[in-house]
Amino acid sequence: IGRAVTLEVVQRGFTVAATTRRLDALEALARLASGPGRVVAHVGDVRDAGRMAEIVDSIERLHGPIALAFLNAGAAAYTQPGRLDPEAVEDIYGVNVFGVANALGPLLDRMTPRGSGQIAVNASLAGYRALPRAAIYGSSKAALIHLVEALRFDAEPRGVRLQIVNPGFVSTPMTDRNDFPMPFLMEADVAARLICDGMLRGDREIAFPRRLAMPMKAMRLLPRWLYDPVIRRLLRQRRKG
């Protein structure tokens, strides 16, 4: 998703300071990009808080104030029935929650004093409510949703817009490993256009596809005594299928 969003943003004329752990991946991304914008590389691991602070400082020193940040790093792990791997929890939260916080903190430190800036955090529809096998991944995304919504109370009056991106299933190497049905699976370039459109509109939440997002939103309103039997029934149907 990050690669597709980068390519889309470059086509729209922006300079993108892209970050990942490998320089060769960033160089390959820069070669793919075409349009009036460009890609500049800043190598780093989101799990390294010090390095992320250095990257934010370097971007602003070399390229000027960051107008829009898309915090997209993510990893997934699915639980097996009756089991929970503490190391998997640490690994997934280390990327999905602490990795985002490691970038979000320095960005807010820069944007808040100047009273301008925009930060979009990529979470997931899986963060709306508990789903089978998604105890680790879903709860990490729920944490991001809560984090962004809570920070808005202080950030928005100070001129910093916070957005949450809640995609459904997007075709990526991560979803290629999934061994369960993925309704309304979409290509990454389609998702990227929806994300960029929402970011430029300033939407508080960018949730898609609508055919999945709307039922998931509705399920958040169901009481526990009704929600649990619905999910169990869907599980039984999937096992029979």
Side-chain angles (χ1 to χ4, degrees), residues 37-56:
R38 64 186 178 120
V39 175
V40 293
H42 291 266
V43 178
D45 189 330
V46 297
R47 295 170 296 184
D48 184 339
R51 178 58 184 153
M52 294 311 297
E54 290 174 358
I55 287 174
V56 170

Side-chain angles (χ1 to χ4, degrees), residues 124-137:
S124 171
L125 295 179
Y128 280 172
R129 196 153 185 183
L131 295 169
R133 297 186 60 193
I136 304 173
Y137 177 75

Side-chain angles (χ1 to χ4, degrees), residues 35 83 94 127 212 241:
R83 298 184 61 191
L212 184 60

Side-chain angles (χ1 to χ4, degrees), residues 146-184:
H146 189 109
L147 181 69
V148 169
E149 290 180 346
L151 286 171
R152 279 193 186 124
F153 292 111
D154 289 324
E156 290 191 346
R158 292 167 172 79
V160 181
R161 176 166 288 275
L162 293 177
Q163 299 172 285
I164 194 75
V165 181
N166 287 322
F169 296 107
V170 178
S171 182
T172 67
M174 189 166 71
T175 55
D176 288 345
R177 302 194 304 266
N178 291 350
D179 60 357
F180 51 83
M182 294 179 284
F184 311 116

Side-chain angles (χ1 to χ4, degrees), residues 76-93:
Y78 297 98
T79 58
Q80 298 302 317
R83 298 184 61 191
L84 180 66
D85 181 355
E87 289 187 3
V89 176
E90 184 176 357
D91 288 344
I92 298 306
Y93 272 62

Side-chain angles (χ1 to χ4, degrees), residues 4-84:
V5 167
T6 296
L7 298 176
E8 179 68 22
V9 171
V10 166
Q11 288 183 351
R12 299 184 187 211
F14 292 86
T15 295
V16 181
T19 299
T20 191
R21 290 173 294 175
R22 291 171 30 228
L23 179 60
D24 61 329
L26 292 173
E27 290 173 339
L29 178 61
R31 288 192 296 269
L32 281 174
S34 63
R38 64 186 178 120
V39 175
V40 293
H42 291 266
V43 178
D45 189 330
V46 297
R47 295 170 296 184
D48 184 339
R51 178 58 184 153
M52 294 311 297
E54 290 174 358
I55 287 174
V56 170
D57 178 70
S58 178
I59 291 170
E60 297 222 329
R61 179 166 38 84
L62 295 172
H63 312 293
I66 296 170
L68 167 63
F70 179 45
L71 306 185
N72 173 70
Y78 297 98
T79 58
Q80 298 302 317
R83 298 184 61 191
L84 180 66

Side-chain angles (χ1 to χ4, degrees), residues 182-235:
M182 294 179 284
F184 311 116
L185 179 70
M186 65 169 53
E187 296 300 320
D189 59 339
V190 177
R193 287 194 292 273
L194 293 172
I195 291 170
C196 291
D197 289 344
M199 288 194 297
L200 295 178
R201 285 194 304 265
D203 296 347
R204 282 185 154 213
E205 181 187 17
I206 305 164
F208 59 89
R210 288 179 60 85
R211 290 177 295 174
L212 184 60
M214 296 308 292
M216 291 294 291
K217 286 178 182 287
M219 289 174 72
R220 288 193 295 181
L221 303 177
L222 293 179
R224 177 61 62 187
W225 62 266
L226 182 57
Y227 177 79
D228 287 1
V230 168
I231 297 300
R232 292 193 181 103
R233 189 176 304 115
L234 290 173
L235 274 176

